[in-house]
Amino acid sequence: MIRSTLLLCLVAAVAADTGLDAIQPMSTSTFQCLANNGYSFFVARVWESVGNYDNTGIQNIKNARAAGWKYVDGYIFPCLRSTCASPEAQVQATVNKLKASGAQYGMLWLDIEILAWPADINHNRDFITRLGNELNALGVNWGIYTNNHNWGNIVGIDWNQWHTRPLWWANYNGHQDYTGFVPFGGWTKPNIHQYAGDYKGPCGVDLDLNWYP
């Protein structure tokens, strides 16, 4: 019985994956080093909240691919100032830049966290709806990065417009599982858990730690 339980634990450990998101420049050899240290997926910032491409992140996607990584995504940190481009234009610019740069990604994630969102929940809902609709129109596979606190403050905890999209759940509880998840926004469970941030990782990389089963 003990041996069977141990085997199940080992199988669960093998089936799960540890990944990272980071914004610093990383070379192909750095990604090879990270792979040797057990990391298997990477999410790069590809659009910044200041309203422009993240060229470092786009190059990181290319370098990760060159290092043989199969699972590489990007995330859009929307620009919210009145001088920023429309939600649709931000999505279009990101997708077009990735294509023109030859940066092959699996998914794009919308980074929905408290930063400069206005107090008007209806405005915020409309902004995120327009981001999502444009991603759908462009045929992009996409999801949402957020947590209960961010979602509740920005759009209201029960707003479930995009509950069918994958959820990248940010909760720095240190668990490589979904411990502590409380359903919100129509999501009943996450797809990825960002379980630690600002981690001094191997290979000289400062990163956030992520897990999916």
Side-chain angles (χ1 to χ4, degrees):
M1 186 67 178
I2 294 175
R3 291 183 63 186
S4 297
T5 302
L6 177 60
L7 178 60
L8 286 172
C9 291
L10 288 173
V11 169
V14 170
D17 290 278
T18 300
L20 70 143
D21 60 278
I23 59 174
Q24 71 187 68
M26 289 176 281
S27 65
T28 299
S29 60
T30 298
F31 279 104
Q32 292 169 338
C33 176
L34 288 165
N36 291 336
N37 278 272
Y39 294 87
S40 59
F41 68 93
F42 171 62
V43 188
R45 185 177 65 186
V46 293
W47 182 265
E48 298 189 54
S49 60
V50 296
N52 206 349
Y53 317 109
D54 187 331
N55 289 307
T56 296
I58 292 170
Q59 185 61 49
N60 283 341
I61 288 178
K62 297 173 68 174
N63 291 346
R65 291 293 191 185
W69 286 50
K70 294 182 180 180
Y71 306 109
V72 183
D73 292 348
Y75 71 87
I76 295 172
F77 204 158
C79 182
L80 303 166
R81 297 192 300 262
S82 60
T83 54
C84 298
S86 69
E88 294 85 356
Q90 292 186 48
V91 168
Q92 292 166 12
T94 302
V95 172
N96 290 340
K97 181 69 170 181
L98 287 164
K99 183 176 181 180
S101 301
Q104 298 180 340
Y105 59 93
M107 289 183 61
L108 290 181
W109 299 86
L110 297 177
D111 188 335
I112 309 300
E113 60 180 288
I114 295 171
L115 177 65
W117 291 92
D120 185 346
I121 284 178
N122 289 324
H123 168 275
N124 299 341
R125 290 178 176 181
D126 178 67
F127 194 99
I128 295 169
T129 295
R130 292 167 64 186
L131 290 170
N133 285 342
E134 188 62 26
L135 287 163
N136 285 339
L138 295 175
V140 175
N141 188 21
W142 65 278
I144 290 178
Y145 167 93
T146 194
N147 59 25
N148 308 62
H149 176 68
N150 287 312
W151 196 252
N153 278 275
I154 295 167
V155 296
I157 197 68
D158 295 324
W159 189 60
N160 63 0
Q161 172 74 21
W162 298 117
H163 73 280
T164 58
R165 305 310 308 174
L167 172 64
W168 178 8
W169 176 52
N171 187 301
Y172 294 174
N173 62 14
H175 288 275
Q176 287 189 323
D177 53 33
Y178 297 144
T179 296
F181 178 76
V182 176
F184 69 97
W187 289 292
T188 57
K189 71 174 185 178
N191 296 81
I192 301 178
H193 179 195
Q194 186 184 74
Y195 64 91
D198 298 322
Y199 176 71
K200 300 296 183 183
C203 316
V205 179
D206 294 332
L207 52 88
D208 297 330
L209 289 165
N210 299 273
W211 172 92
Y212 75 86

mmCIF file of all heavy atoms in Angstrom, residues 134-176:
data_model
loop_
_atom_site.group_PDB
_atom_site.id
_atom_site.type_symbol
_atom_site.label_atom_id
_atom_site.label_comp_id
_atom_site.label_asym_id
_atom_site.label_seq_id
_atom_site.Cartn_x
_atom_site.Cartn_y
_atom_site.Cartn_z
ATOM 1 N N GLU A 134 -11.426 40.863 -30.194
ATOM 2 C CA GLU A 134 -10.430 41.034 -31.255
ATOM 3 C C GLU A 134 -9.526 39.805 -31.358
ATOM 4 O O GLU A 134 -9.177 39.375 -32.464
ATOM 5 C CB GLU A 134 -9.598 42.286 -31.008
ATOM 6 C CG GLU A 134 -8.669 42.640 -32.168
ATOM 7 C CD GLU A 134 -9.411 42.947 -33.457
ATOM 8 O OE1 GLU A 134 -10.595 43.368 -33.406
ATOM 9 O OE2 GLU A 134 -8.810 42.764 -34.529
ATOM 10 N N LEU A 135 -9.158 39.249 -30.234
ATOM 11 C CA LEU A 135 -8.366 38.016 -30.255
ATOM 12 C C LEU A 135 -9.141 36.898 -30.947
ATOM 13 O O LEU A 135 -8.586 36.141 -31.751
ATOM 14 C CB LEU A 135 -7.981 37.604 -28.835
ATOM 15 C CG LEU A 135 -6.897 38.458 -28.177
ATOM 16 C CD1 LEU A 135 -6.872 38.241 -26.664
ATOM 17 C CD2 LEU A 135 -5.518 38.139 -28.764
ATOM 18 N N ASN A 136 -10.435 36.805 -30.651
ATOM 19 C CA ASN A 136 -11.269 35.807 -31.328
ATOM 20 C C ASN A 136 -11.328 36.070 -32.825
ATOM 21 O O ASN A 136 -11.230 35.142 -33.637
ATOM 22 C CB ASN A 136 -12.685 35.821 -30.743
ATOM 23 C CG ASN A 136 -12.773 35.166 -29.378
ATOM 24 O OD1 ASN A 136 -11.911 34.372 -29.002
ATOM 25 N ND2 ASN A 136 -13.818 35.500 -28.623
ATOM 26 N N ALA A 137 -11.491 37.336 -33.200
ATOM 27 C CA ALA A 137 -11.596 37.686 -34.619
ATOM 28 C C ALA A 137 -10.324 37.328 -35.377
ATOM 29 O O ALA A 137 -10.377 36.980 -36.566
ATOM 30 C CB ALA A 137 -11.901 39.176 -34.766
ATOM 31 N N LEU A 138 -9.192 37.408 -34.686
ATOM 32 C CA LEU A 138 -7.913 37.095 -35.320
ATOM 33 C C LEU A 138 -7.567 35.609 -35.228
ATOM 34 O O LEU A 138 -6.520 35.186 -35.717
ATOM 35 C CB LEU A 138 -6.803 37.926 -34.667
ATOM 36 C CG LEU A 138 -6.907 39.439 -34.876
ATOM 37 C CD1 LEU A 138 -5.818 40.163 -34.070
ATOM 38 C CD2 LEU A 138 -6.785 39.796 -36.355
ATOM 39 N N GLY A 139 -8.427 34.834 -34.596
ATOM 40 C CA GLY A 139 -8.210 33.392 -34.500
ATOM 41 C C GLY A 139 -7.112 32.989 -33.537
ATOM 42 O O GLY A 139 -6.500 31.929 -33.696
ATOM 43 N N VAL A 140 -6.878 33.831 -32.530
ATOM 44 C CA VAL A 140 -5.812 33.573 -31.555
ATOM 45 C C VAL A 140 -6.351 32.731 -30.401
ATOM 46 O O VAL A 140 -7.449 32.994 -29.887
ATOM 47 C CB VAL A 140 -5.240 34.896 -31.005
ATOM 48 C CG1 VAL A 140 -4.215 34.635 -29.909
ATOM 49 C CG2 VAL A 140 -4.614 35.705 -32.142
ATOM 50 N N ASN A 141 -5.599 31.729 -30.004
ATOM 51 C CA ASN A 141 -5.907 30.972 -28.796
ATOM 52 C C ASN A 141 -5.468 31.817 -27.605
ATOM 53 O O ASN A 141 -4.303 32.220 -27.530
ATOM 54 C CB ASN A 141 -5.182 29.631 -28.814
ATOM 55 C CG ASN A 141 -5.604 28.718 -27.675
ATOM 56 O OD1 ASN A 141 -6.680 28.887 -27.091
ATOM 57 N ND2 ASN A 141 -4.768 27.755 -27.354
ATOM 58 N N TRP A 142 -6.359 32.103 -26.657
ATOM 59 C CA TRP A 142 -6.013 33.048 -25.611
ATOM 60 C C TRP A 142 -6.686 32.710 -24.289
ATOM 61 O O TRP A 142 -7.632 31.927 -24.228
ATOM 62 C CB TRP A 142 -6.379 34.476 -26.033
ATOM 63 C CG TRP A 142 -7.844 34.737 -26.209
ATOM 64 C CD1 TRP A 142 -8.609 34.436 -27.312
ATOM 65 C CD2 TRP A 142 -8.734 35.344 -25.255
ATOM 66 N NE1 TRP A 142 -9.903 34.824 -27.105
ATOM 67 C CE2 TRP A 142 -10.015 35.388 -25.855
ATOM 68 C CE3 TRP A 142 -8.569 35.859 -23.974
ATOM 69 C CZ2 TRP A 142 -11.131 35.913 -25.209
ATOM 70 C CZ3 TRP A 142 -9.673 36.395 -23.327
ATOM 71 C CH2 TRP A 142 -10.936 36.408 -23.939
ATOM 72 N N GLY A 143 -6.155 33.309 -23.217
ATOM 73 C CA GLY A 143 -6.712 33.132 -21.887
ATOM 74 C C GLY A 143 -6.511 34.394 -21.069
ATOM 75 O O GLY A 143 -6.045 35.419 -21.579
ATOM 76 N N ILE A 144 -6.855 34.318 -19.789
ATOM 77 C CA ILE A 144 -6.788 35.475 -18.903
ATOM 78 C C ILE A 144 -5.937 35.165 -17.682
ATOM 79 O O ILE A 144 -6.093 34.114 -17.043
ATOM 80 C CB ILE A 144 -8.200 35.920 -18.469
ATOM 81 C CG1 ILE A 144 -8.942 36.522 -19.668
ATOM 82 C CG2 ILE A 144 -8.143 36.917 -17.306
ATOM 83 C CD1 ILE A 144 -10.362 36.948 -19.368
ATOM 84 N N TYR A 145 -5.028 36.106 -17.368
ATOM 85 C CA TYR A 145 -4.218 36.059 -16.160
ATOM 86 C C TYR A 145 -4.837 37.009 -15.148
ATOM 87 O O TYR A 145 -4.965 38.218 -15.402
ATOM 88 C CB TYR A 145 -2.781 36.485 -16.470
ATOM 89 C CG TYR A 145 -1.930 36.783 -15.247
ATOM 90 C CD1 TYR A 145 -1.135 35.793 -14.681
ATOM 91 C CD2 TYR A 145 -1.926 38.053 -14.670
ATOM 92 C CE1 TYR A 145 -0.355 36.065 -13.555
ATOM 93 C CE2 TYR A 145 -1.155 38.340 -13.556
ATOM 94 C CZ TYR A 145 -0.369 37.334 -12.999
ATOM 95 O OH TYR A 145 0.391 37.616 -11.887
ATOM 96 N N THR A 146 -5.235 36.481 -13.990
ATOM 97 C CA THR A 146 -5.805 37.327 -12.947
ATOM 98 C C THR A 146 -5.981 36.506 -11.684
ATOM 99 O O THR A 146 -5.572 35.343 -11.613
ATOM 100 C CB THR A 146 -7.157 37.936 -13.416
ATOM 101 O OG1 THR A 146 -7.538 38.989 -12.547
ATOM 102 C CG2 THR A 146 -8.258 36.894 -13.477
ATOM 103 N N ASN A 147 -6.619 37.102 -10.680
ATOM 104 C CA ASN A 147 -7.022 36.369 -9.479
ATOM 105 C C ASN A 147 -8.289 37.018 -8.919
ATOM 106 O O ASN A 147 -8.803 38.004 -9.473
ATOM 107 C CB ASN A 147 -5.900 36.326 -8.436
ATOM 108 C CG ASN A 147 -5.436 37.693 -7.971
ATOM 109 O OD1 ASN A 147 -6.172 38.680 -8.027
ATOM 110 N ND2 ASN A 147 -4.196 37.769 -7.516
ATOM 111 N N ASN A 148 -8.798 36.461 -7.846
ATOM 112 C CA ASN A 148 -10.058 36.940 -7.274
ATOM 113 C C ASN A 148 -10.006 38.428 -6.944
ATOM 114 O O ASN A 148 -10.943 39.174 -7.241
ATOM 115 C CB ASN A 148 -10.384 36.153 -5.997
ATOM 116 C CG ASN A 148 -10.345 34.657 -6.191
ATOM 117 O OD1 ASN A 148 -9.296 34.101 -6.531
ATOM 118 N ND2 ASN A 148 -11.459 33.987 -5.973
ATOM 119 N N HIS A 149 -8.932 38.854 -6.317
ATOM 120 C CA HIS A 149 -8.807 40.245 -5.876
ATOM 121 C C HIS A 149 -8.788 41.197 -7.067
ATOM 122 O O HIS A 149 -9.530 42.190 -7.098
ATOM 123 C CB HIS A 149 -7.538 40.406 -5.047
ATOM 124 C CG HIS A 149 -7.267 41.818 -4.619
ATOM 125 N ND1 HIS A 149 -8.064 42.497 -3.708
ATOM 126 C CD2 HIS A 149 -6.294 42.699 -4.986
ATOM 127 C CE1 HIS A 149 -7.598 43.715 -3.526
ATOM 128 N NE2 HIS A 149 -6.525 43.872 -4.296
ATOM 129 N N ASN A 150 -7.953 40.904 -8.032
ATOM 130 C CA ASN A 150 -7.860 41.771 -9.210
ATOM 131 C C ASN A 150 -9.176 41.805 -9.983
ATOM 132 O O ASN A 150 -9.672 42.876 -10.348
ATOM 133 C CB ASN A 150 -6.724 41.294 -10.117
ATOM 134 C CG ASN A 150 -5.360 41.605 -9.558
ATOM 135 O OD1 ASN A 150 -5.090 42.720 -9.140
ATOM 136 N ND2 ASN A 150 -4.477 40.618 -9.540
ATOM 137 N N TRP A 151 -9.711 40.630 -10.247
ATOM 138 C CA TRP A 151 -10.939 40.537 -11.038
ATOM 139 C C TRP A 151 -12.089 41.261 -10.336
ATOM 140 O O TRP A 151 -12.839 42.016 -10.958
ATOM 141 C CB TRP A 151 -11.290 39.073 -11.265
ATOM 142 C CG TRP A 151 -12.290 38.818 -12.347
ATOM 143 C CD1 TRP A 151 -13.598 38.415 -12.188
ATOM 144 C CD2 TRP A 151 -12.082 38.903 -13.769
ATOM 145 N NE1 TRP A 151 -14.207 38.252 -13.405
ATOM 146 C CE2 TRP A 151 -13.288 38.540 -14.389
ATOM 147 C CE3 TRP A 151 -10.980 39.250 -14.560
ATOM 148 C CZ2 TRP A 151 -13.442 38.520 -15.778
ATOM 149 C CZ3 TRP A 151 -11.125 39.228 -15.943
ATOM 150 C CH2 TRP A 151 -12.340 38.872 -16.533
ATOM 151 N N GLY A 152 -12.214 41.039 -9.034
ATOM 152 C CA GLY A 152 -13.295 41.667 -8.289
ATOM 153 C C GLY A 152 -13.220 43.178 -8.318
ATOM 154 O O GLY A 152 -14.241 43.865 -8.466
ATOM 155 N N ASN A 153 -12.033 43.729 -8.187
ATOM 156 C CA ASN A 153 -11.872 45.175 -8.176
ATOM 157 C C ASN A 153 -12.035 45.800 -9.557
ATOM 158 O O ASN A 153 -12.515 46.925 -9.672
ATOM 159 C CB ASN A 153 -10.501 45.540 -7.610
ATOM 160 C CG ASN A 153 -10.478 45.552 -6.098
ATOM 161 O OD1 ASN A 153 -10.832 46.542 -5.469
ATOM 162 N ND2 ASN A 153 -10.093 44.431 -5.498
ATOM 163 N N ILE A 154 -11.639 45.082 -10.590
ATOM 164 C CA ILE A 154 -11.634 45.659 -11.933
ATOM 165 C C ILE A 154 -12.981 45.530 -12.633
ATOM 166 O O ILE A 154 -13.473 46.490 -13.249
ATOM 167 C CB ILE A 154 -10.507 45.026 -12.779
ATOM 168 C CG1 ILE A 154 -9.140 45.398 -12.190
ATOM 169 C CG2 ILE A 154 -10.602 45.457 -14.235
ATOM 170 C CD1 ILE A 154 -7.990 44.593 -12.754
ATOM 171 N N VAL A 155 -13.597 44.335 -12.542
ATOM 172 C CA VAL A 155 -14.845 44.104 -13.289
ATOM 173 C C VAL A 155 -15.982 43.561 -12.432
ATOM 174 O O VAL A 155 -17.099 43.375 -12.942
ATOM 175 C CB VAL A 155 -14.605 43.137 -14.482
ATOM 176 C CG1 VAL A 155 -13.667 43.752 -15.497
ATOM 177 C CG2 VAL A 155 -14.063 41.792 -13.988
ATOM 178 N N GLY A 156 -15.731 43.278 -11.160
ATOM 179 C CA GLY A 156 -16.753 42.660 -10.321
ATOM 180 C C GLY A 156 -16.550 41.164 -10.274
ATOM 181 O O GLY A 156 -16.360 40.516 -11.315
ATOM 182 N N ILE A 157 -16.582 40.603 -9.088
ATOM 183 C CA ILE A 157 -16.184 39.208 -8.878
ATOM 184 C C ILE A 157 -17.025 38.207 -9.661
ATOM 185 O O ILE A 157 -16.564 37.132 -10.018
ATOM 186 C CB ILE A 157 -16.210 38.870 -7.360
ATOM 187 C CG1 ILE A 157 -15.407 37.599 -7.070
ATOM 188 C CG2 ILE A 157 -17.642 38.786 -6.850
ATOM 189 C CD1 ILE A 157 -13.923 37.749 -7.286
ATOM 190 N N ASP A 158 -18.281 38.558 -9.967
ATOM 191 C CA ASP A 158 -19.171 37.607 -10.636
ATOM 192 C C ASP A 158 -19.264 37.791 -12.145
ATOM 193 O O ASP A 158 -19.978 37.044 -12.815
ATOM 194 C CB ASP A 158 -20.581 37.703 -10.028
ATOM 195 C CG ASP A 158 -20.617 37.270 -8.574
ATOM 196 O OD1 ASP A 158 -19.883 36.327 -8.224
ATOM 197 O OD2 ASP A 158 -21.366 37.888 -7.790
ATOM 198 N N TRP A 159 -18.554 38.770 -12.710
ATOM 199 C CA TRP A 159 -18.629 38.968 -14.160
ATOM 200 C C TRP A 159 -17.976 37.789 -14.869
ATOM 201 O O TRP A 159 -16.792 37.501 -14.674
ATOM 202 C CB TRP A 159 -17.938 40.272 -14.554
ATOM 203 C CG TRP A 159 -18.167 40.648 -15.988
ATOM 204 C CD1 TRP A 159 -19.359 40.897 -16.591
ATOM 205 C CD2 TRP A 159 -17.165 40.818 -17.005
ATOM 206 N NE1 TRP A 159 -19.171 41.225 -17.919
ATOM 207 C CE2 TRP A 159 -17.830 41.180 -18.198
ATOM 208 C CE3 TRP A 159 -15.774 40.711 -17.010
ATOM 209 C CZ2 TRP A 159 -17.159 41.424 -19.389
ATOM 210 C CZ3 TRP A 159 -15.095 40.950 -18.198
ATOM 211 C CH2 TRP A 159 -15.789 41.308 -19.373
ATOM 212 N N ASN A 160 -18.752 37.088 -15.679
ATOM 213 C CA ASN A 160 -18.292 35.815 -16.238
ATOM 214 C C ASN A 160 -18.249 35.785 -17.760
ATOM 215 O O ASN A 160 -18.373 34.727 -18.374
ATOM 216 C CB ASN A 160 -19.170 34.671 -15.727
ATOM 217 C CG ASN A 160 -20.616 34.794 -16.180
ATOM 218 O OD1 ASN A 160 -20.985 35.740 -16.879
ATOM 219 N ND2 ASN A 160 -21.452 33.839 -15.785
ATOM 220 N N GLN A 161 -18.052 36.950 -18.370
ATOM 221 C CA GLN A 161 -18.042 37.057 -19.831
ATOM 222 C C GLN A 161 -17.087 36.065 -20.484
ATOM 223 O O GLN A 161 -17.387 35.501 -21.525
ATOM 224 C CB GLN A 161 -17.646 38.484 -20.231
ATOM 225 C CG GLN A 161 -17.396 38.699 -21.716
ATOM 226 C CD GLN A 161 -18.672 38.714 -22.526
ATOM 227 O OE1 GLN A 161 -19.751 38.943 -21.981
ATOM 228 N NE2 GLN A 161 -18.561 38.482 -23.829
ATOM 229 N N TRP A 162 -15.938 35.834 -19.860
ATOM 230 C CA TRP A 162 -14.909 35.008 -20.498
ATOM 231 C C TRP A 162 -14.581 33.755 -19.687
ATOM 232 O O TRP A 162 -13.454 33.262 -19.720
ATOM 233 C CB TRP A 162 -13.643 35.834 -20.734
ATOM 234 C CG TRP A 162 -13.852 36.995 -21.665
ATOM 235 C CD1 TRP A 162 -13.716 38.321 -21.381
ATOM 236 C CD2 TRP A 162 -14.246 36.920 -23.040
ATOM 237 N NE1 TRP A 162 -13.997 39.087 -22.488
ATOM 238 C CE2 TRP A 162 -14.327 38.251 -23.529
ATOM 239 C CE3 TRP A 162 -14.548 35.869 -23.912
ATOM 240 C CZ2 TRP A 162 -14.691 38.544 -24.838
ATOM 241 C CZ3 TRP A 162 -14.907 36.172 -25.213
ATOM 242 C CH2 TRP A 162 -14.974 37.494 -25.668
ATOM 243 N N HIS A 163 -15.556 33.214 -18.989
ATOM 244 C CA HIS A 163 -15.280 32.054 -18.140
ATOM 245 C C HIS A 163 -14.926 30.796 -18.931
ATOM 246 O O HIS A 163 -14.384 29.843 -18.373
ATOM 247 C CB HIS A 163 -16.475 31.758 -17.228
ATOM 248 C CG HIS A 163 -17.647 31.158 -17.943
ATOM 249 N ND1 HIS A 163 -18.544 31.914 -18.678
ATOM 250 C CD2 HIS A 163 -18.069 29.874 -18.050
ATOM 251 C CE1 HIS A 163 -19.456 31.121 -19.189
ATOM 252 N NE2 HIS A 163 -19.194 29.880 -18.828
ATOM 253 N N THR A 164 -15.209 30.812 -20.243
ATOM 254 C CA THR A 164 -14.847 29.646 -21.059
ATOM 255 C C THR A 164 -13.397 29.700 -21.529
ATOM 256 O O THR A 164 -12.883 28.710 -22.068
ATOM 257 C CB THR A 164 -15.765 29.542 -22.295
ATOM 258 O OG1 THR A 164 -15.655 30.747 -23.069
ATOM 259 C CG2 THR A 164 -17.214 29.347 -21.868
ATOM 260 N N ARG A 165 -12.733 30.826 -21.322
ATOM 261 C CA ARG A 165 -11.316 30.930 -21.682
ATOM 262 C C ARG A 165 -10.450 30.397 -20.543
ATOM 263 O O ARG A 165 -10.834 30.466 -19.369
ATOM 264 C CB ARG A 165 -10.927 32.392 -21.971
ATOM 265 C CG ARG A 165 -11.761 33.097 -23.021
ATOM 266 C CD ARG A 165 -11.904 32.312 -24.305
ATOM 267 N NE ARG A 165 -10.610 31.870 -24.838
ATOM 268 C CZ ARG A 165 -10.471 31.076 -25.893
ATOM 269 N NH1 ARG A 165 -11.543 30.618 -26.519
ATOM 270 N NH2 ARG A 165 -9.267 30.734 -26.307
ATOM 271 N N PRO A 166 -9.282 29.873 -20.843
ATOM 272 C CA PRO A 166 -8.394 29.355 -19.794
ATOM 273 C C PRO A 166 -8.010 30.445 -18.797
ATOM 274 O O PRO A 166 -7.881 31.620 -19.153
ATOM 275 C CB PRO A 166 -7.174 28.868 -20.575
ATOM 276 C CG PRO A 166 -7.674 28.589 -21.954
ATOM 277 C CD PRO A 166 -8.741 29.625 -22.198
ATOM 278 N N LEU A 167 -7.828 30.032 -17.552
ATOM 279 C CA LEU A 167 -7.457 30.954 -16.476
ATOM 280 C C LEU A 167 -6.045 30.655 -15.989
ATOM 281 O O LEU A 167 -5.732 29.525 -15.593
ATOM 282 C CB LEU A 167 -8.430 30.817 -15.306
ATOM 283 C CG LEU A 167 -8.066 31.591 -14.030
ATOM 284 C CD1 LEU A 167 -8.077 33.103 -14.285
ATOM 285 C CD2 LEU A 167 -9.018 31.225 -12.887
ATOM 286 N N TRP A 168 -5.216 31.674 -16.011
ATOM 287 C CA TRP A 168 -3.877 31.633 -15.399
ATOM 288 C C TRP A 168 -4.029 32.366 -14.064
ATOM 289 O O TRP A 168 -4.144 33.581 -14.015
ATOM 290 C CB TRP A 168 -2.894 32.318 -16.332
ATOM 291 C CG TRP A 168 -1.476 32.415 -15.873
ATOM 292 C CD1 TRP A 168 -0.898 31.831 -14.780
ATOM 293 C CD2 TRP A 168 -0.436 33.161 -16.523
ATOM 294 N NE1 TRP A 168 0.432 32.160 -14.697
ATOM 295 C CE2 TRP A 168 0.746 32.976 -15.757
ATOM 296 C CE3 TRP A 168 -0.373 33.960 -17.662
ATOM 297 C CZ2 TRP A 168 1.948 33.574 -16.111
ATOM 298 C CZ3 TRP A 168 0.818 34.544 -18.003
ATOM 299 C CH2 TRP A 168 1.976 34.354 -17.245
ATOM 300 N N TRP A 169 -4.046 31.608 -12.997
ATOM 301 C CA TRP A 169 -4.404 32.108 -11.667
ATOM 302 C C TRP A 169 -3.168 32.526 -10.895
ATOM 303 O O TRP A 169 -2.245 31.740 -10.700
ATOM 304 C CB TRP A 169 -5.151 31.006 -10.916
ATOM 305 C CG TRP A 169 -5.531 31.284 -9.498
ATOM 306 C CD1 TRP A 169 -6.209 32.371 -9.020
ATOM 307 C CD2 TRP A 169 -5.276 30.441 -8.370
ATOM 308 N NE1 TRP A 169 -6.406 32.253 -7.659
ATOM 309 C CE2 TRP A 169 -5.838 31.071 -7.234
ATOM 310 C CE3 TRP A 169 -4.645 29.219 -8.214
ATOM 311 C CZ2 TRP A 169 -5.772 30.515 -5.960
ATOM 312 C CZ3 TRP A 169 -4.574 28.650 -6.950
ATOM 313 C CH2 TRP A 169 -5.135 29.302 -5.839
ATOM 314 N N ALA A 170 -3.139 33.769 -10.458
ATOM 315 C CA ALA A 170 -2.009 34.298 -9.696
ATOM 316 C C ALA A 170 -2.331 34.253 -8.205
ATOM 317 O O ALA A 170 -3.227 34.963 -7.733
ATOM 318 C CB ALA A 170 -1.722 35.736 -10.123
ATOM 319 N N ASN A 171 -1.621 33.407 -7.482
ATOM 320 C CA ASN A 171 -1.781 33.322 -6.027
ATOM 321 C C ASN A 171 -0.475 32.782 -5.464
ATOM 322 O O ASN A 171 -0.146 31.614 -5.639
ATOM 323 C CB ASN A 171 -2.948 32.407 -5.654
ATOM 324 C CG ASN A 171 -3.233 32.431 -4.163
ATOM 325 O OD1 ASN A 171 -2.375 32.113 -3.344
ATOM 326 N ND2 ASN A 171 -4.465 32.782 -3.806
ATOM 327 N N TYR A 172 0.270 33.651 -4.790
ATOM 328 C CA TYR A 172 1.605 33.283 -4.322
ATOM 329 C C TYR A 172 1.556 32.525 -2.997
ATOM 330 O O TYR A 172 2.060 32.969 -1.977
ATOM 331 C CB TYR A 172 2.467 34.535 -4.173
ATOM 332 C CG TYR A 172 2.791 35.246 -5.476
ATOM 333 C CD1 TYR A 172 3.453 36.470 -5.468
ATOM 334 C CD2 TYR A 172 2.433 34.709 -6.708
ATOM 335 C CE1 TYR A 172 3.757 37.134 -6.654
ATOM 336 C CE2 TYR A 172 2.728 35.358 -7.894
ATOM 337 C CZ TYR A 172 3.390 36.573 -7.863
ATOM 338 O OH TYR A 172 3.686 37.223 -9.025
ATOM 339 N N ASN A 173 0.935 31.350 -3.039
ATOM 340 C CA ASN A 173 0.828 30.536 -1.826
ATOM 341 C C ASN A 173 1.863 29.420 -1.760
ATOM 342 O O ASN A 173 1.898 28.640 -0.810
ATOM 343 C CB ASN A 173 -0.587 29.951 -1.685
ATOM 344 C CG ASN A 173 -0.955 29.017 -2.842
ATOM 345 O OD1 ASN A 173 -0.108 28.593 -3.615
ATOM 346 N ND2 ASN A 173 -2.245 28.719 -2.961
ATOM 347 N N GLY A 174 2.715 29.348 -2.792
ATOM 348 C CA GLY A 174 3.801 28.384 -2.773
ATOM 349 C C GLY A 174 3.413 26.957 -3.108
ATOM 350 O O GLY A 174 4.265 26.067 -3.074
ATOM 351 N N HIS A 175 2.177 26.713 -3.472
ATOM 352 C CA HIS A 175 1.702 25.353 -3.744
ATOM 353 C C HIS A 175 1.706 25.051 -5.235
ATOM 354 O O HIS A 175 1.141 25.814 -6.022
ATOM 355 C CB HIS A 175 0.286 25.163 -3.208
ATOM 356 C CG HIS A 175 0.193 25.081 -1.724
ATOM 357 N ND1 HIS A 175 0.379 23.911 -1.026
ATOM 358 C CD2 HIS A 175 -0.058 26.036 -0.796
ATOM 359 C CE1 HIS A 175 0.238 24.135 0.272
ATOM 360 N NE2 HIS A 175 -0.029 25.429 0.441
ATOM 361 N N GLN A 176 2.292 23.942 -5.599
ATOM 362 C CA GLN A 176 2.236 23.476 -6.982
ATOM 363 C C GLN A 176 0.961 22.652 -7.177
ATOM 364 O O GLN A 176 0.998 21.451 -7.495
ATOM 365 C CB GLN A 176 3.473 22.661 -7.332
ATOM 366 C CG GLN A 176 4.722 23.503 -7.504
ATOM 367 C CD GLN A 176 5.876 22.694 -8.060
ATOM 368 O OE1 GLN A 176 6.063 21.529 -7.727
ATOM 369 N NE2 GLN A 176 6.657 23.301 -8.916
#
